[in-house]
Amino acid sequence: MKKYNFSAGPSTLPEEVLQQAAEAVLNLNNSGTSLIEISHRSKDFIAIMDEARSLVKKLMKLDDNHEVLYLQGGASLQFSMIPYNLLKNKAAYIDSGNFASSAIKEAKKIGSIEVLASSKDDKYTYIPKNFEIPKDVDYLHLTSNNTVYGTELKEFPETDVPLVCDMSSDILSRDIDFNKFGLIYAGAQKNIGPAGVTLVIVNKNLLGKTDRNLPSYLDYQIHIEKESMANTPPVFAVYATLLNLRWLDKQGGVSEIEKKNREKAALLYGEIDRNPLFRGVCVEEDRSLMNACFFLNDEATYKAKFDELVKQANIIGINGYRTVGGYRASIYNAMPLEGVQTLVNVMKELEKIA
Amino acid sequence: MKKYNFSAGPSTLPEEVLQQAAEAVLNLNNSGTSLIEISHRSKDFIAIMDEARSLVKKLMKLDDNHEVLYLQGGASLQFSMIPYNLLKNKAAYIDSGNFASSAIKEAKKIGSIEVLASSKDDKYTYIPKNFEIPKDVDYLHLTSNNTVYGTELKEFPETDVPLVCDMSSDILSRDIDFNKFGLIYAGAQKNIGPAGVTLVIVNKNLLGKTDRNLPSYLDYQIHIEKESMANTPPVFAVYATLLNLRWLDKQGGVSEIEKKNREKAALLYGEIDRNPLFRGVCVEEDRSLMNACFFLNDEATYKAKFDELVKQANIIGINGYRTVGGYRASIYNAMPLEGVQTLVNVMKELEKIA
């Protein structure tokens, strides 16, 4: 029996994507060869990479200034690649969570960083707002969604400063004007694919303005020129991401999936707020559509029972992050409404027998 | 019908590895969840990473100074990580092929590099030998096998200078004292797995001697401390590599696969030398056990016919590298003897009808 997997990442993928990915490992496009055996310079794989790039452009409605790259090393390597490629004098960062904090730490190794605002003192339970953006910074770095605490940036600043955004956990989950950004990056393993590939969208006009003699792998310009094939790409992860993008396209694209995401989030947060046994972790206005974090008000009395009911309902992956505790239900694009309804039913059941 | 895939990389994998990898994409260990959906911090995946590391230690008979890492970014990122982590004053490189040349180019961006020998002027058709190793270099960088030209380093220098070796295309193909090396690296997609993960084996005593404040992702020490889980690892590629390592272990390990590799290479080179229609690309004493490169003596007359026979025999991936031309049959660990025999039969058939 299929389980409802609420893991924060790697995370649930549509059943048809898993079926198609497994089939391709045995026999790609009825070619008699496996996806993971063929040359990345083969016609079959070049077509995969081309479609994976163009489908991102389509789904995000990107203009021709924005290049789509599939890289390795995760968001973690992007924490360094971004300042290496874009930081001349100074960059501004917003410290809205664990990953934002890591991005700041890595950028400080490379250049001058100004942290404009932080919610660290309040355990990152809200999104910092009302900061002033200096006019002289090379870019402003934001994190659109924080998986650990379940907060999400609802509105992006209007500014002439290039916006750089870590969208690892909510990319393609809601309709945004993606062309407003100088650079967007996302580890695939939350909302767009399996672990092992990182999507980077960069406005090419921002490049070539520093004089660092970068390692080739860290140089966006080289990856643009080589169309993400400067070296052997992570073939399986790119293909599984493509399958997932096709699935999203079939669902009607970003605006349609956003409706479903809002419906799922409303259902779950509604129950967290209604059910007297539970409470949310972060401030209401910043609640994430992707990661709903909540506590049992009385863990000592109800935790064992709730965990048992969760298990019986075939739900996995809802433990909170280790430094936060409680529960976290990640309800990415691929989580069906029935999964969320199942979790809500378990919460109601606990209330009934309490 | 299954094809014989002689691609240089990504390349052929054992049929049982493909079956098991496909099954895990649907249902890992009968858990009801997909390999590519579960958290990398889950019990199931931690066990996979642990076994993938320990099996390399077993197969390579590594001592406790040698740490095993699974990283992203390919050998290409290692070209930079190696000097970042190990280069204090000067490093020595041998220029034995395309990838060695790229490693030199990247290292020169980071520090002082001395190229001790090069076979570039002879189109890399032999392995440079008889060079003197300066005593004062931090390491000597070698490439054990050159896929493009089909040459292989048969004996490694005896020296007190730490040896760093790119073994991307012949790792685990022959019995070597791997403990002699300071650092070994290999993109998985040739002899040990699918694309998307890079194996690095490093003698930890060599680390911590430079004062660079490295990006975390580029710092071997951090990956050692975090047991290759400093960030989300490339889950599928690590698992498929583990399956391949298990397969190799079942074959009897490195010394047994070496016997088979020698038998396959002897069969193919025997035919290249015997058959008057063909000739080898590189000097005999440096011929690779992994990539046999050869030309038709008279392409104008025989190429179309040979290519047709190859296709009829369900053989794919034997075109030579674009700058070399001719043919290249990559006969990695996973290529069965029957595959090589099939290719040899086609070469004999061409001779018969010539």
Side-chain angles (χ1 to χ4, degrees), chain A residues 2-3 5 10-13 22 31 33 37-38 40 72-73 76 80 84 106 109 189 195-196 213-216 231-233 236 316, chain B residues 2-3 5 10-13 22 31 33 37-38 40 72-73 76 80 84 106 109 189 195-196 214-216 231-233 236 316:
Chain A
K2 180 80 180 119
K3 292 182 179 169
N5 175 14
S11 48
T12 196
L13 289 165
S31 63
T33 49
E37 290 185 316
I38 57 170
H40 58 293
Q72 295 184 65
S76 296
S80 306
Y84 273 141
E106 295 300 329
K109 294 178 183 175
Q189 69 272 10
N213 189 15
L214 289 177
S216 296
N231 65 343
T232 315
F236 176 84
I316 60 168
Chain B
K2 178 82 179 122
K3 293 184 178 167
N5 174 14
S11 48
T12 195
L13 287 164
S31 63
T33 49
E37 290 186 316
I38 57 170
H40 59 293
Q72 294 183 66
S76 296
S80 306
Y84 272 141
E106 295 300 329
K109 296 178 183 174
Q189 69 273 14
L214 289 177
S216 295
N231 65 342
T232 314
F236 176 84
I316 61 168

Short mmCIF file of all heavy atoms in Angstrom, two decimals, chain A residues 2-3 5 10-13 22 31 33 37-38 40 72-73 76 80 84 106 109 189 195-196 213-216 231-233 236 316, chain B residues 2-3 5 10-13 22 31 33 37-38 40 72-73 76 80 84 106 109 189 195-196 214-216 231-233 236 316:
data_model
loop_
_atom_site.label_atom_id
_atom_site.label_comp_id
_atom_site.label_asym_id
_atom_site.label_seq_id
_atom_site.Cartn_x
_atom_site.Cartn_y
_atom_site.Cartn_z
N LYS A 2 0.54 2.18 -0.87
CA LYS A 2 1.29 3.43 -1.01
C LYS A 2 1.18 4.27 0.26
O LYS A 2 0.10 4.42 0.82
CB LYS A 2 0.71 4.18 -2.22
CG LYS A 2 1.37 5.52 -2.53
CD LYS A 2 2.67 5.35 -3.30
CE LYS A 2 3.29 6.72 -3.58
NZ LYS A 2 4.58 6.94 -3.00
N LYS A 3 2.31 4.81 0.66
CA LYS A 3 2.31 5.66 1.86
C LYS A 3 2.19 7.13 1.49
O LYS A 3 2.59 7.54 0.40
CB LYS A 3 3.59 5.41 2.65
CG LYS A 3 3.62 4.00 3.22
CD LYS A 3 4.84 3.73 4.06
CE LYS A 3 4.76 2.31 4.61
NZ LYS A 3 6.01 1.86 5.21
N ASN A 5 3.80 10.41 2.03
CA ASN A 5 5.14 10.80 2.46
C ASN A 5 5.22 12.32 2.59
O ASN A 5 5.25 13.03 1.59
CB ASN A 5 6.14 10.28 1.43
CG ASN A 5 7.55 10.72 1.70
OD1 ASN A 5 7.87 11.21 2.79
ND2 ASN A 5 8.42 10.56 0.71
N PRO A 10 14.64 14.82 0.47
CA PRO A 10 13.85 14.40 -0.67
C PRO A 10 12.42 14.10 -0.27
O PRO A 10 12.18 13.70 0.86
CB PRO A 10 14.58 13.15 -1.16
CG PRO A 10 16.00 13.31 -0.69
CD PRO A 10 15.90 14.04 0.59
N SER A 11 11.51 14.27 -1.23
CA SER A 11 10.10 14.27 -0.87
C SER A 11 9.26 13.59 -1.94
O SER A 11 9.77 13.12 -2.95
CB SER A 11 9.64 15.70 -0.65
OG SER A 11 10.07 16.51 -1.71
N THR A 12 7.98 13.57 -1.67
CA THR A 12 7.06 12.79 -2.51
C THR A 12 7.07 13.27 -3.97
O THR A 12 7.22 14.46 -4.26
CB THR A 12 5.64 12.85 -1.91
OG1 THR A 12 4.85 11.82 -2.49
CG2 THR A 12 4.98 14.21 -2.13
N LEU A 13 6.92 12.32 -4.86
CA LEU A 13 6.84 12.61 -6.30
C LEU A 13 5.58 11.93 -6.85
O LEU A 13 5.12 10.95 -6.28
CB LEU A 13 8.08 12.06 -7.01
CG LEU A 13 9.38 12.82 -6.74
CD1 LEU A 13 10.60 12.00 -7.17
CD2 LEU A 13 9.38 14.16 -7.47
N ALA A 22 11.38 4.62 -13.36
CA ALA A 22 11.81 3.22 -13.20
C ALA A 22 11.89 2.54 -14.56
O ALA A 22 12.86 1.82 -14.85
CB ALA A 22 10.84 2.48 -12.28
N SER A 31 14.30 2.08 -26.49
CA SER A 31 15.53 2.06 -27.28
C SER A 31 16.31 0.77 -27.05
O SER A 31 17.27 0.48 -27.75
CB SER A 31 16.41 3.24 -26.88
OG SER A 31 16.77 3.10 -25.50
N THR A 33 18.06 0.37 -24.44
CA THR A 33 19.15 0.71 -23.52
C THR A 33 18.59 1.49 -22.35
O THR A 33 17.55 2.14 -22.46
CB THR A 33 20.24 1.56 -24.21
OG1 THR A 33 19.61 2.63 -24.90
CG2 THR A 33 21.07 0.75 -25.17
N GLU A 37 22.77 4.27 -18.86
CA GLU A 37 23.93 3.69 -19.54
C GLU A 37 24.36 4.49 -20.76
O GLU A 37 25.47 4.32 -21.26
CB GLU A 37 23.59 2.29 -20.06
CG GLU A 37 23.42 1.24 -19.01
CD GLU A 37 23.22 -0.13 -19.67
OE1 GLU A 37 22.45 -0.21 -20.66
OE2 GLU A 37 23.84 -1.09 -19.21
N ILE A 38 23.44 5.31 -21.28
CA ILE A 38 23.73 5.94 -22.57
C ILE A 38 24.65 7.15 -22.40
O ILE A 38 24.71 7.77 -21.34
CB ILE A 38 22.45 6.39 -23.31
CG1 ILE A 38 21.62 7.33 -22.43
CG2 ILE A 38 21.65 5.18 -23.75
CD1 ILE A 38 20.48 8.01 -23.17
N HIS A 40 25.89 10.87 -22.49
CA HIS A 40 25.17 12.13 -22.35
C HIS A 40 25.27 12.95 -23.63
O HIS A 40 24.61 13.97 -23.77
CB HIS A 40 25.69 12.92 -21.15
CG HIS A 40 27.15 13.23 -21.21
ND1 HIS A 40 28.12 12.26 -21.15
CD2 HIS A 40 27.81 14.40 -21.34
CE1 HIS A 40 29.31 12.83 -21.23
NE2 HIS A 40 29.16 14.11 -21.35
N GLN A 72 25.26 20.50 -10.38
CA GLN A 72 25.41 19.60 -9.23
C GLN A 72 25.89 20.39 -8.00
O GLN A 72 26.30 21.52 -8.11
CB GLN A 72 26.42 18.50 -9.56
CG GLN A 72 25.98 17.55 -10.66
CD GLN A 72 26.98 16.42 -10.89
OE1 GLN A 72 27.20 15.58 -10.04
NE2 GLN A 72 27.59 16.40 -12.06
N GLY A 73 25.84 19.73 -6.86
CA GLY A 73 26.39 20.34 -5.64
C GLY A 73 25.33 20.93 -4.72
O GLY A 73 25.66 21.39 -3.62
N SER A 76 23.80 24.20 -1.52
CA SER A 76 25.03 24.49 -0.76
C SER A 76 26.15 25.03 -1.63
O SER A 76 26.86 25.95 -1.23
CB SER A 76 25.51 23.22 -0.04
OG SER A 76 24.56 22.82 0.90
N SER A 80 28.07 29.49 -2.52
CA SER A 80 29.39 30.03 -2.89
C SER A 80 29.44 30.53 -4.33
O SER A 80 30.07 31.55 -4.62
CB SER A 80 30.47 28.95 -2.68
OG SER A 80 30.41 28.43 -1.37
N TYR A 84 30.75 34.25 -5.85
CA TYR A 84 31.88 34.15 -6.78
C TYR A 84 31.56 34.82 -8.12
O TYR A 84 32.40 35.48 -8.72
CB TYR A 84 32.25 32.69 -7.05
CG TYR A 84 33.23 32.07 -6.07
CD1 TYR A 84 33.07 30.76 -5.63
CD2 TYR A 84 34.33 32.78 -5.60
CE1 TYR A 84 33.97 30.18 -4.76
CE2 TYR A 84 35.23 32.21 -4.72
CZ TYR A 84 35.05 30.91 -4.30
OH TYR A 84 35.94 30.34 -3.43
N GLU A 106 28.66 31.32 4.00
CA GLU A 106 29.51 31.01 2.85
C GLU A 106 29.88 32.28 2.07
O GLU A 106 31.02 32.44 1.62
CB GLU A 106 28.81 30.01 1.92
CG GLU A 106 28.58 28.64 2.54
CD GLU A 106 29.85 27.94 2.98
OE1 GLU A 106 30.91 28.15 2.35
OE2 GLU A 106 29.80 27.18 3.97
N LYS A 109 32.82 34.38 3.27
CA LYS A 109 34.17 33.89 2.95
C LYS A 109 34.69 34.55 1.68
O LYS A 109 35.88 34.53 1.40
CB LYS A 109 34.17 32.37 2.75
CG LYS A 109 33.84 31.57 4.00
CD LYS A 109 33.82 30.08 3.66
CE LYS A 109 33.40 29.26 4.88
NZ LYS A 109 33.26 27.83 4.54
N GLN A 189 15.27 18.43 -4.96
CA GLN A 189 14.69 17.32 -4.19
C GLN A 189 13.50 17.68 -3.31
O GLN A 189 13.08 16.88 -2.48
CB GLN A 189 15.77 16.64 -3.35
CG GLN A 189 16.32 17.47 -2.20
CD GLN A 189 17.49 18.36 -2.63
OE1 GLN A 189 17.78 18.50 -3.80
NE2 GLN A 189 18.16 18.95 -1.66
N ALA A 195 16.83 14.13 -5.52
CA ALA A 195 18.11 14.72 -5.14
C ALA A 195 19.14 14.49 -6.25
O ALA A 195 19.03 13.54 -7.01
CB ALA A 195 18.61 14.10 -3.84
N GLY A 196 20.13 15.39 -6.33
CA GLY A 196 21.24 15.16 -7.25
C GLY A 196 21.35 16.18 -8.37
O GLY A 196 22.27 16.13 -9.16
N ASN A 213 39.15 34.74 -11.58
CA ASN A 213 39.48 33.66 -12.51
C ASN A 213 38.94 32.36 -11.90
O ASN A 213 39.67 31.61 -11.27
CB ASN A 213 40.99 33.60 -12.72
CG ASN A 213 41.36 32.65 -13.84
OD1 ASN A 213 40.52 32.23 -14.64
ND2 ASN A 213 42.62 32.26 -13.89
N LEU A 214 37.65 32.14 -12.07
CA LEU A 214 36.96 31.06 -11.35
C LEU A 214 37.30 29.67 -11.86
O LEU A 214 37.53 29.48 -13.07
CB LEU A 214 35.45 31.25 -11.49
CG LEU A 214 34.82 32.42 -10.75
CD1 LEU A 214 33.33 32.48 -11.08
CD2 LEU A 214 35.04 32.26 -9.24
N PRO A 215 37.26 28.68 -10.96
CA PRO A 215 37.25 27.29 -11.43
C PRO A 215 36.11 27.12 -12.43
O PRO A 215 35.02 27.68 -12.22
CB PRO A 215 36.97 26.49 -10.15
CG PRO A 215 37.49 27.34 -9.03
CD PRO A 215 37.24 28.77 -9.49
N SER A 216 36.35 26.39 -13.49
CA SER A 216 35.33 26.28 -14.55
C SER A 216 34.00 25.81 -14.02
O SER A 216 32.95 26.31 -14.41
CB SER A 216 35.80 25.31 -15.64
OG SER A 216 36.94 25.83 -16.26
N ASN A 231 30.37 19.27 -18.25
CA ASN A 231 30.84 17.91 -17.96
C ASN A 231 29.62 17.00 -17.87
O ASN A 231 28.50 17.43 -18.14
CB ASN A 231 31.69 17.88 -16.68
CG ASN A 231 30.90 18.23 -15.44
OD1 ASN A 231 29.80 18.80 -15.52
ND2 ASN A 231 31.44 17.90 -14.28
N THR A 232 29.82 15.73 -17.55
CA THR A 232 28.70 14.80 -17.56
C THR A 232 27.65 15.23 -16.55
O THR A 232 27.94 15.34 -15.36
CB THR A 232 29.18 13.37 -17.21
OG1 THR A 232 30.37 13.09 -17.95
CG2 THR A 232 28.11 12.35 -17.53
N PRO A 233 26.44 15.52 -17.01
CA PRO A 233 25.39 15.94 -16.07
C PRO A 233 24.86 14.74 -15.29
O PRO A 233 25.08 13.59 -15.67
CB PRO A 233 24.31 16.51 -17.00
CG PRO A 233 24.55 15.85 -18.31
CD PRO A 233 25.99 15.46 -18.39
N PHE A 236 20.23 10.76 -14.45
CA PHE A 236 18.96 10.29 -13.88
C PHE A 236 18.18 11.43 -13.25
O PHE A 236 16.97 11.57 -13.45
CB PHE A 236 19.20 9.18 -12.84
CG PHE A 236 17.93 8.75 -12.17
CD1 PHE A 236 17.10 7.80 -12.76
CD2 PHE A 236 17.53 9.31 -10.96
CE1 PHE A 236 15.90 7.43 -12.17
CE2 PHE A 236 16.33 8.95 -10.36
CZ PHE A 236 15.51 8.01 -10.97
N ILE A 316 4.02 8.96 6.60
CA ILE A 316 5.42 8.99 7.07
C ILE A 316 6.01 10.39 6.88
O ILE A 316 5.49 11.20 6.11
CB ILE A 316 6.31 7.95 6.34
CG1 ILE A 316 6.34 8.22 4.82
CG2 ILE A 316 5.85 6.53 6.62
CD1 ILE A 316 7.42 7.43 4.10
N LYS B 2 18.49 -6.91 -25.81
CA LYS B 2 19.50 -6.11 -25.11
C LYS B 2 20.66 -5.78 -26.06
O LYS B 2 21.12 -6.60 -26.82
CB LYS B 2 20.01 -6.93 -23.91
CG LYS B 2 21.11 -6.29 -23.10
CD LYS B 2 20.57 -5.28 -22.07
CE LYS B 2 21.73 -4.69 -21.28
NZ LYS B 2 21.84 -3.25 -21.36
N LYS B 3 21.09 -4.53 -25.98
CA LYS B 3 22.19 -4.12 -26.83
C LYS B 3 23.53 -4.20 -26.09
O LYS B 3 23.57 -4.10 -24.87
CB LYS B 3 21.95 -2.69 -27.30
CG LYS B 3 20.74 -2.61 -28.23
CD LYS B 3 20.52 -1.23 -28.80
CE LYS B 3 19.32 -1.28 -29.74
NZ LYS B 3 18.84 0.04 -30.10
N ASN B 5 26.52 -2.22 -25.23
CA ASN B 5 26.78 -0.79 -25.17
C ASN B 5 28.25 -0.53 -24.82
O ASN B 5 28.67 -0.73 -23.69
CB ASN B 5 25.85 -0.18 -24.12
CG ASN B 5 26.12 1.29 -23.88
OD1 ASN B 5 26.82 1.94 -24.65
ND2 ASN B 5 25.58 1.81 -22.79
N PRO B 10 28.56 8.04 -19.74
CA PRO B 10 27.99 6.92 -19.00
C PRO B 10 28.04 5.64 -19.84
O PRO B 10 27.96 5.71 -21.06
CB PRO B 10 26.55 7.37 -18.74
CG PRO B 10 26.60 8.86 -18.73
CD PRO B 10 27.66 9.21 -19.75
N SER B 11 28.12 4.52 -19.15
CA SER B 11 28.43 3.27 -19.83
C SER B 11 27.66 2.10 -19.25
O SER B 11 26.87 2.26 -18.33
CB SER B 11 29.93 3.03 -19.73
OG SER B 11 30.34 3.21 -18.39
N THR B 12 27.92 0.95 -19.83
CA THR B 12 27.11 -0.23 -19.51
C THR B 12 27.18 -0.60 -18.03
O THR B 12 28.22 -0.42 -17.39
CB THR B 12 27.54 -1.41 -20.42
OG1 THR B 12 26.57 -2.42 -20.38
CG2 THR B 12 28.89 -1.97 -20.00
N LEU B 13 26.07 -1.08 -17.52
CA LEU B 13 26.00 -1.55 -16.14
C LEU B 13 25.42 -2.96 -16.15
O LEU B 13 24.69 -3.33 -17.07
CB LEU B 13 25.09 -0.63 -15.33
CG LEU B 13 25.67 0.76 -15.01
CD1 LEU B 13 24.59 1.73 -14.56
CD2 LEU B 13 26.77 0.65 -13.95
N ALA B 22 15.82 0.03 -10.79
CA ALA B 22 14.46 0.36 -11.23
C ALA B 22 13.45 -0.01 -10.15
O ALA B 22 12.52 0.75 -9.86
CB ALA B 22 14.15 -0.36 -12.54
N SER B 31 9.59 -1.24 1.31
CA SER B 31 9.15 -0.30 2.35
C SER B 31 7.85 0.40 1.96
O SER B 31 7.24 1.08 2.79
CB SER B 31 10.24 0.77 2.55
OG SER B 31 10.40 1.52 1.35
N THR B 33 7.85 2.79 -0.11
CA THR B 33 8.23 4.14 -0.57
C THR B 33 9.37 4.02 -1.58
O THR B 33 10.13 3.06 -1.58
CB THR B 33 8.69 5.04 0.59
OG1 THR B 33 9.66 4.33 1.37
CG2 THR B 33 7.55 5.47 1.46
N GLU B 37 12.22 9.27 -2.92
CA GLU B 37 11.30 10.11 -2.16
C GLU B 37 11.68 10.23 -0.69
O GLU B 37 11.21 11.13 0.00
CB GLU B 37 9.89 9.50 -2.18
CG GLU B 37 9.18 9.55 -3.50
CD GLU B 37 7.75 9.04 -3.33
OE1 GLU B 37 7.56 8.01 -2.66
OE2 GLU B 37 6.85 9.67 -3.88
N ILE B 38 12.46 9.27 -0.21
CA ILE B 38 12.69 9.24 1.25
C ILE B 38 13.74 10.26 1.67
O ILE B 38 14.58 10.68 0.88
CB ILE B 38 13.14 7.84 1.72
CG1 ILE B 38 14.41 7.38 0.98
CG2 ILE B 38 12.00 6.85 1.56
CD1 ILE B 38 15.04 6.14 1.56
N HIS B 40 17.06 11.73 3.15
CA HIS B 40 18.43 11.19 3.21
C HIS B 40 18.85 10.99 4.66
O HIS B 40 19.89 10.41 4.92
CB HIS B 40 19.40 12.11 2.46
CG HIS B 40 19.45 13.50 2.97
ND1 HIS B 40 18.38 14.37 2.88
CD2 HIS B 40 20.42 14.20 3.60
CE1 HIS B 40 18.69 15.53 3.42
NE2 HIS B 40 19.92 15.45 3.87
N GLN B 72 29.44 15.50 -5.38
CA GLN B 72 28.84 15.90 -6.66
C GLN B 72 29.83 16.78 -7.45
O GLN B 72 30.82 17.22 -6.92
CB GLN B 72 27.55 16.68 -6.42
CG GLN B 72 26.44 15.85 -5.79
CD GLN B 72 25.14 16.64 -5.65
OE1 GLN B 72 24.52 17.01 -6.62
NE2 GLN B 72 24.73 16.87 -4.42
N GLY B 73 29.50 17.00 -8.70
CA GLY B 73 30.31 17.92 -9.51
C GLY B 73 31.28 17.24 -10.46
O GLY B 73 31.94 17.91 -11.26
N SER B 76 35.46 17.01 -12.84
CA SER B 76 35.73 18.42 -13.15
C SER B 76 35.83 19.28 -11.90
O SER B 76 36.69 20.16 -11.81
CB SER B 76 34.63 18.98 -14.06
OG SER B 76 34.64 18.30 -15.29
N SER B 80 39.54 21.25 -9.29
CA SER B 80 39.74 22.45 -8.47
C SER B 80 39.85 22.12 -6.98
O SER B 80 40.65 22.71 -6.26
CB SER B 80 38.60 23.44 -8.70
OG SER B 80 38.46 23.72 -10.08
N TYR B 84 42.79 23.25 -4.16
CA TYR B 84 42.27 24.06 -3.05
C TYR B 84 42.62 23.41 -1.71
O TYR B 84 42.96 24.09 -0.74
CB TYR B 84 40.74 24.19 -3.14
CG TYR B 84 40.24 25.36 -3.97
CD1 TYR B 84 39.12 25.23 -4.79
CD2 TYR B 84 40.85 26.60 -3.91
CE1 TYR B 84 38.65 26.30 -5.54
CE2 TYR B 84 40.37 27.69 -4.66
CZ TYR B 84 39.28 27.52 -5.46
OH TYR B 84 38.81 28.58 -6.20
N GLU B 106 42.86 23.86 -14.62
CA GLU B 106 42.13 24.31 -13.43
C GLU B 106 43.08 24.56 -12.26
O GLU B 106 42.92 25.52 -11.51
CB GLU B 106 41.06 23.29 -13.04
CG GLU B 106 39.95 23.11 -14.08
CD GLU B 106 39.17 24.40 -14.36
OE1 GLU B 106 39.04 25.23 -13.44
OE2 GLU B 106 38.71 24.57 -15.51
N LYS B 109 44.88 27.88 -12.02
CA LYS B 109 44.13 29.03 -11.51
C LYS B 109 44.34 29.21 -10.01
O LYS B 109 44.05 30.27 -9.45
CB LYS B 109 42.63 28.84 -11.77
CG LYS B 109 42.25 28.80 -13.23
CD LYS B 109 40.73 28.56 -13.36
CE LYS B 109 40.33 28.45 -14.83
NZ LYS B 109 38.90 28.08 -14.98
N GLN B 189 30.49 7.37 -13.53
CA GLN B 189 29.72 6.96 -14.71
C GLN B 189 30.47 6.11 -15.72
O GLN B 189 29.98 5.88 -16.81
CB GLN B 189 29.11 8.18 -15.41
CG GLN B 189 30.09 9.11 -16.08
CD GLN B 189 30.66 10.17 -15.14
OE1 GLN B 189 30.51 10.06 -13.93
NE2 GLN B 189 31.30 11.17 -15.69
N ALA B 195 25.98 8.34 -13.85
CA ALA B 195 26.44 9.72 -13.70
C ALA B 195 25.77 10.36 -12.49
O ALA B 195 24.68 9.95 -12.10
CB ALA B 195 26.10 10.51 -14.96
N GLY B 196 26.44 11.34 -11.91
CA GLY B 196 25.81 12.11 -10.83
C GLY B 196 26.48 11.97 -9.49
O GLY B 196 26.07 12.62 -8.53
N LEU B 214 38.04 27.84 2.73
CA LEU B 214 37.33 27.30 1.57
C LEU B 214 35.81 27.35 1.73
O LEU B 214 35.30 27.21 2.83
CB LEU B 214 37.72 25.83 1.38
CG LEU B 214 39.13 25.55 0.88
CD1 LEU B 214 39.35 24.04 0.82
CD2 LEU B 214 39.33 26.16 -0.50
N PRO B 215 35.10 27.48 0.59
CA PRO B 215 33.66 27.21 0.60
C PRO B 215 33.44 25.81 1.19
O PRO B 215 34.20 24.89 0.89
CB PRO B 215 33.28 27.23 -0.88
CG PRO B 215 34.29 28.13 -1.52
CD PRO B 215 35.57 27.88 -0.76
N SER B 216 32.43 25.67 2.02
CA SER B 216 32.22 24.38 2.71
C SER B 216 32.13 23.22 1.73
O SER B 216 32.68 22.15 1.98
CB SER B 216 30.95 24.43 3.55
OG SER B 216 31.10 25.37 4.58
N ASN B 231 25.40 17.96 2.84
CA ASN B 231 24.11 18.39 2.28
C ASN B 231 23.46 17.17 1.64
O ASN B 231 24.00 16.06 1.73
CB ASN B 231 24.27 19.56 1.29
CG ASN B 231 25.06 19.19 0.06
OD1 ASN B 231 25.78 18.18 0.05
ND2 ASN B 231 24.95 19.98 -0.97
N THR B 232 22.32 17.36 1.01
CA THR B 232 21.59 16.20 0.47
C THR B 232 22.44 15.52 -0.60
O THR B 232 22.79 16.14 -1.60
CB THR B 232 20.25 16.63 -0.15
OG1 THR B 232 19.60 17.52 0.75
CG2 THR B 232 19.37 15.43 -0.42
N PRO B 233 22.80 14.26 -0.40
CA PRO B 233 23.61 13.58 -1.41
C PRO B 233 22.77 13.19 -2.63
O PRO B 233 21.53 13.20 -2.56
CB PRO B 233 24.11 12.33 -0.67
CG PRO B 233 23.10 12.10 0.41
CD PRO B 233 22.47 13.42 0.75
N PHE B 236 19.93 8.69 -5.74
CA PHE B 236 19.84 7.60 -6.72
C PHE B 236 21.22 7.14 -7.17
O PHE B 236 21.48 5.95 -7.25
CB PHE B 236 19.01 8.03 -7.94
CG PHE B 236 18.98 6.98 -9.01
CD1 PHE B 236 18.06 5.94 -8.94
CD2 PHE B 236 19.90 7.00 -10.06
CE1 PHE B 236 18.05 4.94 -9.91
CE2 PHE B 236 19.89 6.00 -11.02
CZ PHE B 236 18.96 4.97 -10.94
N ILE B 316 26.27 -0.81 -29.80
CA ILE B 316 26.18 0.65 -29.87
C ILE B 316 27.37 1.29 -29.13
O ILE B 316 28.05 0.65 -28.33
CB ILE B 316 24.86 1.20 -29.27
CG1 ILE B 316 24.74 0.82 -27.79
CG2 ILE B 316 23.66 0.73 -30.05
CD1 ILE B 316 23.63 1.56 -27.06
#
